[in-house]
């Protein structure tokens, strides 16, 4: 079932400026939120200290996606600074003992390569992906282990590997062994049982029985698989990957398990999401946006705009900082919640050249945006 919800539309009215428009008029969106995201950044450490290591990779990715989408390069220095400050941390080249952490940084550096064209970023991503690939084996029939301890085959490590390996293949010109390994891990993932009868992805497999463990259907697991399938389509040219992605996206955008009154809601929000959970929804909409842009009819655009609009209207302070609850109230503001908000706003952007669907959308380049938040 395709989504055709009536919704406000996001229009790119100038390079670097974006406005949400609809029945309630026009409101500023991504520029103040991005300024606030950089306000959380610590130049000395090269990270977002109010959140975790892997979350900082996602904050960097959200910032890069904004710069690519809008042409605003004011914060390109953050990319280089993070790279220089942290390239020798842990095992070096943004590799550490958690395979999924390594995957998040691999994806961030692929996007940094897309932004800058600098080969060093792609080389770093390749080193990380090679490390991840070393933790594929035949336990439970295949897939990537979650950590170097090899105690848990879970969804996120394999999803990230599929996406990163397929994206790397595309950027290396195609037809590389990375494509073959991405396809192999996807084939295993599809048959593993982690995709349940509701077409939602549970957290992982029981180590002994290798069966779906029935654990939480976190939003990021529903999202990364979509981006992975888009990358597989780009790598192989096979449209079956997009068709499967649409099936999974239809299920997750309609699911009451992760949506409350149409607004994306992490299962942990009522009890507390800790350090990790606040990043998840942003990751979901980022990857759903990648799928949406890969499809000619943009079937998930209205859903994405609903998320961005709800966050803007119900979850934003006067300083354009965003909390964890996109439907409100404002609470738990960190670099991770800000990253998720930026992901939502950027995912809802209409690419340049696409016609607006809202007849009262602004076309004169005005955004009504307040002064940017302090960047510290």
């Amino acid at each position: 079932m395709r989504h055709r919800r009536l919704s406000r539309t996001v229009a790119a009215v100038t390079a670097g400026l974006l406005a949400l428009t609809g029945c309630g008029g026009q409101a500023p969106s991504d520029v103040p939120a991005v300024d606030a995201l950089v306000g959380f950044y610590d130049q000395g450490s090269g990270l977002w200290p109010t959140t975790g290591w892997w979350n900082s990779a996602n904050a960097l990715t959200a910032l890069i996606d904004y710069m690519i989408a809008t042409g605003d390069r004011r914060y390109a220095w953050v990319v280089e600074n993070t790279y220089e400050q942290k390239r020798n941390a842990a095992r070096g080249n943004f590799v550490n003992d958690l395979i999924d952490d390594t995957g998040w940084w691999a994806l961030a550096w692929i996007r940094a390569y897309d932004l800058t064209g600098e080969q060093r970023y792609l080389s770093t991503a390749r080193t990380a992906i090679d490390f991840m690939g070393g933790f594929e084996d035949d336990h439970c029939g295949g897939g990537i282990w979650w950590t170097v301890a090899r105690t848990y085959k879970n969804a996120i490590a394999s999803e990230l590997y599929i996406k990163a390996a397929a994206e790397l293949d595309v950027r290396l010109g195609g037809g590389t062994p990375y494509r073959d390994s991405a396809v192999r891990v996807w084939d295993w993932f599809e048959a593993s049982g982690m995709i349940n009868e509701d077409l939602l992805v549970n957290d992982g497999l029981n180590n002994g029985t290798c069966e779906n463990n029935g654990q939480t259907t976190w939003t990021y697991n529903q999202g990364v698989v979509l981006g992975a399938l888009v990358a597989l389509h780009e790598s192989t040219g096979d449209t079956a990957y997009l068709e499967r992605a649409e099936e999974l996206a239809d299920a997750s955008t309609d699911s009451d398990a992760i949506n409350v009154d149409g607004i994306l809601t992490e299962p942990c929000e009522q009890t507390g999401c800790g350090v990790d959970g606040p990043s998840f929804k942003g990751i979901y909409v980022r990857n759903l946006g990648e799928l949406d842009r890969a499809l000619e009819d943009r079937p998930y655009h209205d859903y994405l705009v609903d998320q961005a609009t709800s966050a803007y209207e119900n979850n934003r302070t006067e300083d354009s900082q965003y909390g964890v609850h996109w439907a409100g109230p404002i609470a738990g503001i960190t670099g991770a919640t800000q990253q998720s908000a930026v992901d939502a706003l950027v995912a809802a952007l209409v690419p340049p050249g696409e016609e607006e669907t809202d007849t009262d959308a602004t076309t004169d380049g005005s955004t009504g945006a307040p002064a940017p938040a302090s960047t510290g």
Side-chain angles (χ1 to χ4, degrees), residues 10-19 29-31 34 60-73 111 114-116 286 289-290 293 298 342-354:
V10 175
V13 294
T14 63
L17 295 175
L18 177 67
S29 91
D30 60 346
V31 173
V34 168
L60 184 64
T61 301
L63 182 61
I64 294 171
D65 280 350
Y66 162 79
M67 289 191 284
I68 290 173
T70 65
D72 181 356
R73 298 293 189 269
R111 294 301 277 155
D114 293 343
L115 176 72
T116 67
R286 181 197 310 157
E290 291 175 7
R293 291 188 295 274
R298 299 294 300 275
V342 170
D343 276 321
L345 295 165
V346 172
L349 191 155
V350 174
E354 286 197 7

mmCIF file of all heavy atoms in Angstrom, residues 10-19 29-31 34 60-73 111 114-116 286 289-290 293 298 342-354:
data_model
loop_
_atom_site.group_PDB
_atom_site.id
_atom_site.type_symbol
_atom_site.label_atom_id
_atom_site.label_comp_id
_atom_site.label_asym_id
_atom_site.label_seq_id
_atom_site.Cartn_x
_atom_site.Cartn_y
_atom_site.Cartn_z
ATOM 1 N N VAL A 10 7.515 20.362 1.789
ATOM 2 C CA VAL A 10 8.770 21.071 2.019
ATOM 3 C C VAL A 10 9.329 21.521 0.681
ATOM 4 O O VAL A 10 9.392 20.753 -0.255
ATOM 5 C CB VAL A 10 9.786 20.145 2.716
ATOM 6 C CG1 VAL A 10 11.122 20.844 2.853
ATOM 7 C CG2 VAL A 10 9.254 19.740 4.066
ATOM 8 N N ALA A 11 9.708 22.776 0.581
ATOM 9 C CA ALA A 11 10.239 23.304 -0.678
ATOM 10 C C ALA A 11 11.625 23.875 -0.463
ATOM 11 O O ALA A 11 11.849 24.626 0.480
ATOM 12 C CB ALA A 11 9.313 24.389 -1.221
ATOM 13 N N ALA A 12 12.556 23.548 -1.328
ATOM 14 C CA ALA A 12 13.888 24.150 -1.278
ATOM 15 C C ALA A 12 13.813 25.488 -1.994
ATOM 16 O O ALA A 12 13.774 25.548 -3.211
ATOM 17 C CB ALA A 12 14.909 23.243 -1.958
ATOM 18 N N VAL A 13 13.765 26.574 -1.256
ATOM 19 C CA VAL A 13 13.515 27.872 -1.868
ATOM 20 C C VAL A 13 14.788 28.613 -2.195
ATOM 21 O O VAL A 13 14.786 29.519 -3.019
ATOM 22 C CB VAL A 13 12.603 28.741 -0.975
ATOM 23 C CG1 VAL A 13 11.226 28.145 -0.877
ATOM 24 C CG2 VAL A 13 13.197 28.923 0.407
ATOM 25 N N THR A 14 15.869 28.311 -1.513
ATOM 26 C CA THR A 14 17.170 28.854 -1.883
ATOM 27 C C THR A 14 18.207 27.812 -1.574
ATOM 28 O O THR A 14 17.955 26.885 -0.822
ATOM 29 C CB THR A 14 17.527 30.129 -1.079
ATOM 30 O OG1 THR A 14 17.624 29.781 0.300
ATOM 31 C CG2 THR A 14 16.514 31.228 -1.271
ATOM 32 N N ALA A 15 19.399 27.937 -2.165
ATOM 33 C CA ALA A 15 20.489 27.025 -1.800
ATOM 34 C C ALA A 15 20.834 27.273 -0.352
ATOM 35 O O ALA A 15 21.238 28.348 0.029
ATOM 36 C CB ALA A 15 21.705 27.274 -2.694
ATOM 37 N N GLY A 16 20.696 26.229 0.448
ATOM 38 C CA GLY A 16 21.032 26.322 1.855
ATOM 39 C C GLY A 16 19.889 26.722 2.749
ATOM 40 O O GLY A 16 20.025 26.711 3.953
ATOM 41 N N LEU A 17 18.717 27.107 2.210
ATOM 42 C CA LEU A 17 17.579 27.488 3.025
ATOM 43 C C LEU A 17 16.384 26.663 2.623
ATOM 44 O O LEU A 17 16.129 26.432 1.449
ATOM 45 C CB LEU A 17 17.261 28.979 2.854
ATOM 46 C CG LEU A 17 18.340 29.941 3.350
ATOM 47 C CD1 LEU A 17 17.953 31.378 3.008
ATOM 48 C CD2 LEU A 17 18.534 29.812 4.838
ATOM 49 N N LEU A 18 15.596 26.269 3.632
ATOM 50 C CA LEU A 18 14.479 25.361 3.398
ATOM 51 C C LEU A 18 13.295 25.844 4.197
ATOM 52 O O LEU A 18 13.443 26.275 5.317
ATOM 53 C CB LEU A 18 14.874 23.960 3.874
ATOM 54 C CG LEU A 18 13.826 22.861 3.784
ATOM 55 C CD1 LEU A 18 13.505 22.556 2.338
ATOM 56 C CD2 LEU A 18 14.343 21.622 4.481
ATOM 57 N N ALA A 19 12.094 25.789 3.631
ATOM 58 C CA ALA A 19 10.920 26.207 4.376
ATOM 59 C C ALA A 19 9.885 25.118 4.383
ATOM 60 O O ALA A 19 9.633 24.477 3.368
ATOM 61 C CB ALA A 19 10.323 27.463 3.737
ATOM 62 N N SER A 29 13.165 26.042 9.039
ATOM 63 C CA SER A 29 13.402 24.636 9.338
ATOM 64 C C SER A 29 14.871 24.312 9.470
ATOM 65 O O SER A 29 15.472 24.562 10.503
ATOM 66 C CB SER A 29 12.679 23.750 8.336
ATOM 67 O OG SER A 29 13.427 23.419 7.228
ATOM 68 N N ASP A 30 15.522 23.807 8.442
ATOM 69 C CA ASP A 30 16.788 23.120 8.664
ATOM 70 C C ASP A 30 17.963 24.005 9.038
ATOM 71 O O ASP A 30 18.849 23.583 9.770
ATOM 72 C CB ASP A 30 17.148 22.241 7.471
ATOM 73 C CG ASP A 30 17.306 23.012 6.173
ATOM 74 O OD1 ASP A 30 16.887 24.181 6.128
ATOM 75 O OD2 ASP A 30 17.823 22.444 5.209
ATOM 76 N N VAL A 31 18.023 25.255 8.594
ATOM 77 C CA VAL A 31 19.192 26.077 8.876
ATOM 78 C C VAL A 31 19.365 26.336 10.376
ATOM 79 O O VAL A 31 20.440 26.074 10.934
ATOM 80 C CB VAL A 31 19.148 27.396 8.077
ATOM 81 C CG1 VAL A 31 20.286 28.314 8.507
ATOM 82 C CG2 VAL A 31 19.236 27.107 6.587
ATOM 83 N N VAL A 34 20.390 23.049 12.069
ATOM 84 C CA VAL A 34 21.774 22.675 11.781
ATOM 85 C C VAL A 34 22.737 23.542 12.582
ATOM 86 O O VAL A 34 23.727 23.051 13.142
ATOM 87 C CB VAL A 34 22.056 22.769 10.271
ATOM 88 C CG1 VAL A 34 23.547 22.669 9.980
ATOM 89 C CG2 VAL A 34 21.308 21.665 9.532
ATOM 90 N N LEU A 60 27.554 13.638 12.440
ATOM 91 C CA LEU A 60 28.368 14.083 11.309
ATOM 92 C C LEU A 60 27.683 13.753 9.988
ATOM 93 O O LEU A 60 27.658 14.580 9.059
ATOM 94 C CB LEU A 60 29.749 13.429 11.373
ATOM 95 C CG LEU A 60 30.745 13.885 10.304
ATOM 96 C CD1 LEU A 60 31.076 15.365 10.461
ATOM 97 C CD2 LEU A 60 32.019 13.051 10.362
ATOM 98 N N THR A 61 27.096 12.571 9.879
ATOM 99 C CA THR A 61 26.393 12.189 8.658
ATOM 100 C C THR A 61 25.218 13.115 8.390
ATOM 101 O O THR A 61 24.987 13.536 7.242
ATOM 102 C CB THR A 61 25.910 10.735 8.761
ATOM 103 O OG1 THR A 61 27.037 9.876 8.962
ATOM 104 C CG2 THR A 61 25.177 10.303 7.498
ATOM 105 N N ALA A 62 24.442 13.440 9.424
ATOM 106 C CA ALA A 62 23.314 14.354 9.255
ATOM 107 C C ALA A 62 23.789 15.717 8.765
ATOM 108 O O ALA A 62 23.169 16.327 7.873
ATOM 109 C CB ALA A 62 22.552 14.494 10.571
ATOM 110 N N LEU A 63 24.896 16.198 9.312
ATOM 111 C CA LEU A 63 25.445 17.479 8.899
ATOM 112 C C LEU A 63 25.914 17.437 7.448
ATOM 113 O O LEU A 63 25.656 18.361 6.663
ATOM 114 C CB LEU A 63 26.607 17.855 9.824
ATOM 115 C CG LEU A 63 27.291 19.197 9.568
ATOM 116 C CD1 LEU A 63 26.313 20.354 9.731
ATOM 117 C CD2 LEU A 63 28.488 19.373 10.509
ATOM 118 N N ILE A 64 26.578 16.359 7.072
ATOM 119 C CA ILE A 64 27.042 16.221 5.685
ATOM 120 C C ILE A 64 25.860 16.127 4.729
ATOM 121 O O ILE A 64 25.856 16.755 3.653
ATOM 122 C CB ILE A 64 27.953 14.992 5.537
ATOM 123 C CG1 ILE A 64 29.256 15.195 6.337
ATOM 124 C CG2 ILE A 64 28.285 14.730 4.065
ATOM 125 C CD1 ILE A 64 30.111 13.945 6.428
ATOM 126 N N ASP A 65 24.847 15.354 5.085
ATOM 127 C CA ASP A 65 23.669 15.242 4.228
ATOM 128 C C ASP A 65 23.038 16.605 3.998
ATOM 129 O O ASP A 65 22.591 16.926 2.881
ATOM 130 C CB ASP A 65 22.642 14.293 4.853
ATOM 131 C CG ASP A 65 22.976 12.832 4.631
ATOM 132 O OD1 ASP A 65 23.893 12.533 3.842
ATOM 133 O OD2 ASP A 65 22.306 11.975 5.241
ATOM 134 N N TYR A 66 22.974 17.416 5.041
ATOM 135 C CA TYR A 66 22.447 18.779 4.900
ATOM 136 C C TYR A 66 23.291 19.565 3.905
ATOM 137 O O TYR A 66 22.753 20.240 3.009
ATOM 138 C CB TYR A 66 22.421 19.472 6.258
ATOM 139 C CG TYR A 66 22.305 20.968 6.147
ATOM 140 C CD1 TYR A 66 21.072 21.569 5.891
ATOM 141 C CD2 TYR A 66 23.431 21.784 6.261
ATOM 142 C CE1 TYR A 66 20.966 22.952 5.750
ATOM 143 C CE2 TYR A 66 23.332 23.158 6.132
ATOM 144 C CZ TYR A 66 22.102 23.739 5.873
ATOM 145 O OH TYR A 66 22.005 25.102 5.727
ATOM 146 N N MET A 67 24.611 19.495 4.038
ATOM 147 C CA MET A 67 25.478 20.266 3.148
ATOM 148 C C MET A 67 25.351 19.803 1.706
ATOM 149 O O MET A 67 25.333 20.624 0.776
ATOM 150 C CB MET A 67 26.926 20.178 3.635
ATOM 151 C CG MET A 67 27.167 20.948 4.933
ATOM 152 S SD MET A 67 28.912 21.141 5.376
ATOM 153 C CE MET A 67 29.289 19.498 6.005
ATOM 154 N N ILE A 68 25.243 18.505 1.499
ATOM 155 C CA ILE A 68 25.075 17.989 0.137
ATOM 156 C C ILE A 68 23.735 18.423 -0.443
ATOM 157 O O ILE A 68 23.636 18.831 -1.605
ATOM 158 C CB ILE A 68 25.204 16.455 0.130
ATOM 159 C CG1 ILE A 68 26.657 16.041 0.414
ATOM 160 C CG2 ILE A 68 24.737 15.873 -1.204
ATOM 161 C CD1 ILE A 68 26.851 14.546 0.596
ATOM 162 N N ALA A 69 22.688 18.363 0.372
ATOM 163 C CA ALA A 69 21.343 18.663 -0.119
ATOM 164 C C ALA A 69 21.149 20.136 -0.437
ATOM 165 O O ALA A 69 20.403 20.481 -1.359
ATOM 166 C CB ALA A 69 20.299 18.210 0.904
ATOM 167 N N THR A 70 21.818 21.013 0.305
ATOM 168 C CA THR A 70 21.535 22.441 0.180
ATOM 169 C C THR A 70 22.629 23.251 -0.469
ATOM 170 O O THR A 70 22.385 24.380 -0.912
ATOM 171 C CB THR A 70 21.269 23.052 1.573
ATOM 172 O OG1 THR A 70 22.468 22.975 2.354
ATOM 173 C CG2 THR A 70 20.140 22.307 2.285
ATOM 174 N N GLY A 71 23.839 22.731 -0.508
ATOM 175 C CA GLY A 71 24.959 23.504 -1.021
ATOM 176 C C GLY A 71 25.584 24.425 0.010
ATOM 177 O O GLY A 71 26.552 25.130 -0.287
ATOM 178 N N ASP A 72 25.067 24.448 1.220
ATOM 179 C CA ASP A 72 25.611 25.262 2.306
ATOM 180 C C ASP A 72 26.868 24.576 2.844
ATOM 181 O O ASP A 72 26.785 23.498 3.416
ATOM 182 C CB ASP A 72 24.553 25.397 3.404
ATOM 183 C CG ASP A 72 25.003 26.254 4.580
ATOM 184 O OD1 ASP A 72 26.174 26.691 4.600
ATOM 185 O OD2 ASP A 72 24.183 26.484 5.490
ATOM 186 N N ARG A 73 28.025 25.209 2.678
ATOM 187 C CA ARG A 73 29.295 24.592 3.077
ATOM 188 C C ARG A 73 29.919 25.274 4.302
ATOM 189 O O ARG A 73 31.102 25.109 4.565
ATOM 190 C CB ARG A 73 30.300 24.635 1.913
ATOM 191 C CG ARG A 73 29.857 23.867 0.665
ATOM 192 C CD ARG A 73 29.796 22.376 0.944
ATOM 193 N NE ARG A 73 29.596 21.612 -0.264
ATOM 194 C CZ ARG A 73 28.412 21.265 -0.755
ATOM 195 N NH1 ARG A 73 27.303 21.636 -0.122
ATOM 196 N NH2 ARG A 73 28.319 20.563 -1.868
ATOM 197 N N ARG A 111 30.026 9.408 2.983
ATOM 198 C CA ARG A 111 29.318 10.667 2.704
ATOM 199 C C ARG A 111 30.294 11.840 2.667
ATOM 200 O O ARG A 111 30.108 12.784 1.884
ATOM 201 C CB ARG A 111 28.238 10.901 3.757
ATOM 202 C CG ARG A 111 27.127 9.888 3.713
ATOM 203 C CD ARG A 111 26.432 9.877 2.358
ATOM 204 N NE ARG A 111 25.425 10.928 2.254
ATOM 205 C CZ ARG A 111 25.021 11.446 1.102
ATOM 206 N NH1 ARG A 111 25.582 11.041 -0.038
ATOM 207 N NH2 ARG A 111 24.067 12.366 1.075
ATOM 208 N N ASP A 114 31.620 11.849 -0.677
ATOM 209 C CA ASP A 114 30.638 12.402 -1.608
ATOM 210 C C ASP A 114 30.637 13.927 -1.569
ATOM 211 O O ASP A 114 30.463 14.591 -2.597
ATOM 212 C CB ASP A 114 29.233 11.895 -1.262
ATOM 213 C CG ASP A 114 29.068 10.401 -1.495
ATOM 214 O OD1 ASP A 114 29.892 9.800 -2.211
ATOM 215 O OD2 ASP A 114 28.093 9.837 -0.948
ATOM 216 N N LEU A 115 30.811 14.476 -0.386
ATOM 217 C CA LEU A 115 30.794 15.933 -0.222
ATOM 218 C C LEU A 115 32.045 16.584 -0.789
ATOM 219 O O LEU A 115 31.957 17.618 -1.468
ATOM 220 C CB LEU A 115 30.673 16.279 1.263
ATOM 221 C CG LEU A 115 30.741 17.763 1.635
ATOM 222 C CD1 LEU A 115 29.462 18.483 1.199
ATOM 223 C CD2 LEU A 115 30.964 17.942 3.134
ATOM 224 N N THR A 116 33.196 15.984 -0.523
ATOM 225 C CA THR A 116 34.470 16.645 -0.811
ATOM 226 C C THR A 116 35.236 16.081 -1.993
ATOM 227 O O THR A 116 36.092 16.768 -2.557
ATOM 228 C CB THR A 116 35.388 16.558 0.418
ATOM 229 O OG1 THR A 116 35.762 15.176 0.621
ATOM 230 C CG2 THR A 116 34.696 17.091 1.671
ATOM 231 N N ARG A 286 16.267 9.169 7.713
ATOM 232 C CA ARG A 286 17.344 9.373 6.738
ATOM 233 C C ARG A 286 17.300 8.289 5.666
ATOM 234 O O ARG A 286 17.384 8.557 4.464
ATOM 235 C CB ARG A 286 18.696 9.364 7.437
ATOM 236 C CG ARG A 286 19.889 9.583 6.504
ATOM 237 C CD ARG A 286 21.189 9.154 7.181
ATOM 238 N NE ARG A 286 21.314 9.733 8.510
ATOM 239 C CZ ARG A 286 22.069 9.221 9.477
ATOM 240 N NH1 ARG A 286 22.744 8.085 9.280
ATOM 241 N NH2 ARG A 286 22.144 9.793 10.659
ATOM 242 N N GLY A 289 14.172 8.394 3.575
ATOM 243 C CA GLY A 289 14.337 9.440 2.571
ATOM 244 C C GLY A 289 15.161 8.985 1.388
ATOM 245 O O GLY A 289 14.874 9.356 0.239
ATOM 246 N N GLU A 290 16.184 8.167 1.630
ATOM 247 C CA GLU A 290 16.978 7.633 0.524
ATOM 248 C C GLU A 290 16.118 6.761 -0.385
ATOM 249 O O GLU A 290 16.226 6.827 -1.620
ATOM 250 C CB GLU A 290 18.161 6.840 1.065
ATOM 251 C CG GLU A 290 19.211 7.701 1.753
ATOM 252 C CD GLU A 290 20.319 6.900 2.392
ATOM 253 O OE1 GLU A 290 20.359 5.669 2.201
ATOM 254 O OE2 GLU A 290 21.154 7.507 3.099
ATOM 255 N N ARG A 293 13.634 9.015 -2.417
ATOM 256 C CA ARG A 293 14.259 9.699 -3.548
ATOM 257 C C ARG A 293 14.634 8.745 -4.672
ATOM 258 O O ARG A 293 14.824 9.178 -5.814
ATOM 259 C CB ARG A 293 15.491 10.470 -3.070
ATOM 260 C CG ARG A 293 15.146 11.670 -2.196
ATOM 261 C CD ARG A 293 16.356 12.529 -1.902
ATOM 262 N NE ARG A 293 17.357 11.834 -1.114
ATOM 263 C CZ ARG A 293 17.350 11.765 0.213
ATOM 264 N NH1 ARG A 293 16.364 12.317 0.895
ATOM 265 N NH2 ARG A 293 18.312 11.138 0.868
ATOM 266 N N ARG A 298 7.868 9.299 -5.303
ATOM 267 C CA ARG A 298 8.103 9.804 -3.953
ATOM 268 C C ARG A 298 6.988 9.390 -2.987
ATOM 269 O O ARG A 298 6.326 10.221 -2.359
ATOM 270 C CB ARG A 298 8.232 11.324 -3.975
ATOM 271 C CG ARG A 298 9.379 11.891 -4.806
ATOM 272 C CD ARG A 298 10.744 11.554 -4.259
ATOM 273 N NE ARG A 298 10.922 12.062 -2.908
ATOM 274 C CZ ARG A 298 11.322 13.302 -2.614
ATOM 275 N NH1 ARG A 298 11.606 14.145 -3.587
ATOM 276 N NH2 ARG A 298 11.480 13.666 -1.354
ATOM 277 N N VAL A 342 17.595 17.075 12.619
ATOM 278 C CA VAL A 342 18.189 17.495 11.352
ATOM 279 C C VAL A 342 17.949 16.441 10.282
ATOM 280 O O VAL A 342 17.604 16.751 9.130
ATOM 281 C CB VAL A 342 19.690 17.791 11.523
ATOM 282 C CG1 VAL A 342 20.375 17.980 10.174
ATOM 283 C CG2 VAL A 342 19.889 19.031 12.394
ATOM 284 N N ASP A 343 18.112 15.166 10.638
ATOM 285 C CA ASP A 343 17.814 14.099 9.686
ATOM 286 C C ASP A 343 16.378 14.207 9.172
ATOM 287 O O ASP A 343 16.113 14.034 7.973
ATOM 288 C CB ASP A 343 18.014 12.734 10.347
ATOM 289 C CG ASP A 343 19.451 12.251 10.321
ATOM 290 O OD1 ASP A 343 20.131 12.462 9.306
ATOM 291 O OD2 ASP A 343 19.889 11.633 11.305
ATOM 292 N N ALA A 344 15.437 14.471 10.088
ATOM 293 C CA ALA A 344 14.032 14.562 9.692
ATOM 294 C C ALA A 344 13.798 15.733 8.748
ATOM 295 O O ALA A 344 13.101 15.602 7.730
ATOM 296 C CB ALA A 344 13.146 14.688 10.933
ATOM 297 N N LEU A 345 14.382 16.872 9.049
ATOM 298 C CA LEU A 345 14.189 18.056 8.220
ATOM 299 C C LEU A 345 14.814 17.879 6.840
ATOM 300 O O LEU A 345 14.229 18.277 5.827
ATOM 301 C CB LEU A 345 14.772 19.272 8.936
ATOM 302 C CG LEU A 345 14.067 19.650 10.253
ATOM 303 C CD1 LEU A 345 14.932 20.606 11.062
ATOM 304 C CD2 LEU A 345 12.695 20.250 9.993
ATOM 305 N N VAL A 346 15.996 17.294 6.787
ATOM 306 C CA VAL A 346 16.669 17.094 5.498
ATOM 307 C C VAL A 346 15.956 16.021 4.676
ATOM 308 O O VAL A 346 15.812 16.145 3.455
ATOM 309 C CB VAL A 346 18.150 16.746 5.720
ATOM 310 C CG1 VAL A 346 18.822 16.336 4.404
ATOM 311 C CG2 VAL A 346 18.885 17.931 6.333
ATOM 312 N N ALA A 347 15.483 14.957 5.333
ATOM 313 C CA ALA A 347 14.777 13.903 4.601
ATOM 314 C C ALA A 347 13.512 14.424 3.948
ATOM 315 O O ALA A 347 13.087 13.907 2.905
ATOM 316 C CB ALA A 347 14.446 12.742 5.548
ATOM 317 N N ALA A 348 12.908 15.454 4.531
ATOM 318 C CA ALA A 348 11.663 16.005 3.996
ATOM 319 C C ALA A 348 11.878 17.035 2.905
ATOM 320 O O ALA A 348 10.915 17.525 2.314
ATOM 321 C CB ALA A 348 10.854 16.626 5.138
ATOM 322 N N LEU A 349 13.105 17.363 2.619
ATOM 323 C CA LEU A 349 13.415 18.375 1.610
ATOM 324 C C LEU A 349 13.020 17.898 0.223
ATOM 325 O O LEU A 349 13.204 16.735 -0.129
ATOM 326 C CB LEU A 349 14.914 18.674 1.673
ATOM 327 C CG LEU A 349 15.501 19.845 0.920
ATOM 328 C CD1 LEU A 349 16.793 20.269 1.613
ATOM 329 C CD2 LEU A 349 15.823 19.517 -0.529
ATOM 330 N N VAL A 350 12.488 18.817 -0.586
ATOM 331 C CA VAL A 350 12.200 18.533 -1.987
ATOM 332 C C VAL A 350 13.441 18.846 -2.807
ATOM 333 O O VAL A 350 13.946 19.971 -2.757
ATOM 334 C CB VAL A 350 11.020 19.376 -2.500
ATOM 335 C CG1 VAL A 350 10.821 19.172 -3.993
ATOM 336 C CG2 VAL A 350 9.746 19.018 -1.755
ATOM 337 N N PRO A 351 13.984 17.884 -3.537
ATOM 338 C CA PRO A 351 15.176 18.157 -4.335
ATOM 339 C C PRO A 351 14.941 19.277 -5.335
ATOM 340 O O PRO A 351 13.822 19.453 -5.828
ATOM 341 C CB PRO A 351 15.430 16.825 -5.064
ATOM 342 C CG PRO A 351 14.766 15.802 -4.210
ATOM 343 C CD PRO A 351 13.555 16.482 -3.648
ATOM 344 N N PRO A 352 15.961 20.082 -5.636
ATOM 345 C CA PRO A 352 15.825 21.148 -6.618
ATOM 346 C C PRO A 352 15.284 20.622 -7.943
ATOM 347 O O PRO A 352 15.669 19.552 -8.400
ATOM 348 C CB PRO A 352 17.261 21.665 -6.773
ATOM 349 C CG PRO A 352 17.927 21.305 -5.495
ATOM 350 C CD PRO A 352 17.310 20.000 -5.062
ATOM 351 N N GLY A 353 14.345 21.365 -8.534
ATOM 352 C CA GLY A 353 13.778 20.980 -9.822
ATOM 353 C C GLY A 353 12.447 20.279 -9.731
ATOM 354 O O GLY A 353 11.716 20.215 -10.714
ATOM 355 N N GLU A 354 12.126 19.742 -8.539
ATOM 356 C CA GLU A 354 10.827 19.105 -8.396
ATOM 357 C C GLU A 354 9.766 20.163 -8.156
ATOM 358 O O GLU A 354 9.954 21.111 -7.405
ATOM 359 C CB GLU A 354 10.832 18.108 -7.232
ATOM 360 C CG GLU A 354 11.576 16.847 -7.534
ATOM 361 C CD GLU A 354 11.229 15.720 -6.573
ATOM 362 O OE1 GLU A 354 10.306 15.897 -5.762
ATOM 363 O OE2 GLU A 354 11.876 14.672 -6.655
#
